[in-house]
Amino acid sequence: MTHKTEIYKCQVCSNVVEILHEGEGELVCCSQPMLHLTENTDDSADKEKHVPVFDGTCIKVGKISHPMTQEHHIEFIEALSPDRKYIIRKFLEHNEEPVLDTSYNYCKDRFIMREWCNLHGVWTGHKN
């Protein structure tokens, strides 16, 4: 069973998909089952920081700024309402600062922060 907002990656061609409609069955790409990516929440062992943090009205990737190079970068940052019904997402280029302005006030005071690193996968934090 798949669930809304889950992210899957093809281990052959590196396609990445997000579930928009829940369903039964297995996701397949390149004739192989796709890998369900778990949302990481603890980067204390990494030298690079990936867990999104809230700073004023912005979501930033890590307490230490994440690298943004062609080889290693954040592909998107998003804020999701606690029920995951509302999403604001910003897709990034490798030469952009990994920051999302959340001053739109679409989900009040609480939301889930999530980002995708092209090398290290999905990372999640919470603003309560």
Side-chain angles (χ1 to χ4, degrees):
M1 174 87 180
T2 59
H3 300 281
K4 284 182 186 173
T5 74
E6 287 181 332
I7 297 178
Y8 290 77
K9 183 175 183 177
C10 177
Q11 297 178 74
V12 177
C13 72
S14 297
N15 272 336
V16 175
V17 299
E18 181 179 16
I19 302 301
L20 300 179
H21 181 83
E22 296 179 353
E24 298 291 331
E26 182 176 57
L27 295 179
V28 175
C29 186
C30 298
S31 301
Q32 299 288 324
M34 294 185 83
L35 177 65
H36 173 236
L37 299 177
T38 304
E39 295 179 358
N40 298 297
T41 59
D42 181 12
D43 60 7
S44 59
D46 293 337
K47 66 176 182 163
E48 294 152 353
K49 301 302 179 190
H50 289 91
V51 173
V53 295
F54 189 72
D55 183 17
T57 61
C58 295
I59 297 171
K60 295 184 177 182
V61 177
K63 293 178 183 175
I64 300 168
S65 189
H66 188 280
M68 291 298 283
T69 65
Q70 183 77 26
E71 299 78 28
H72 185 194
H73 58 274
I74 302 303
E75 293 193 19
F76 69 79
I77 303 171
E78 62 189 8
L80 298 92
S81 61
D83 60 7
R84 294 184 178 236
K85 288 185 177 183
Y86 300 96
I87 299 173
I88 182 169
R89 178 181 294 153
K90 180 181 179 182
F91 288 98
L92 301 164
E93 299 296 326
H94 72 274
N95 57 355
E96 289 184 79
E97 184 180 8
V99 174
L100 170 64
D101 183 352
T102 62
S103 61
Y104 306 109
N105 197 22
Y106 69 99
C107 56
K108 309 214 188 241
D109 298 326
R110 298 178 38 218
F111 52 87
I112 300 164
M113 303 174 290
R114 189 164 73 161
E115 61 93 351
W116 168 264
C117 174
N118 72 317
L119 294 182
H120 301 109
V122 184
W123 294 82
T124 304
H126 292 83
K127 181 195 179 284
N128 294 322

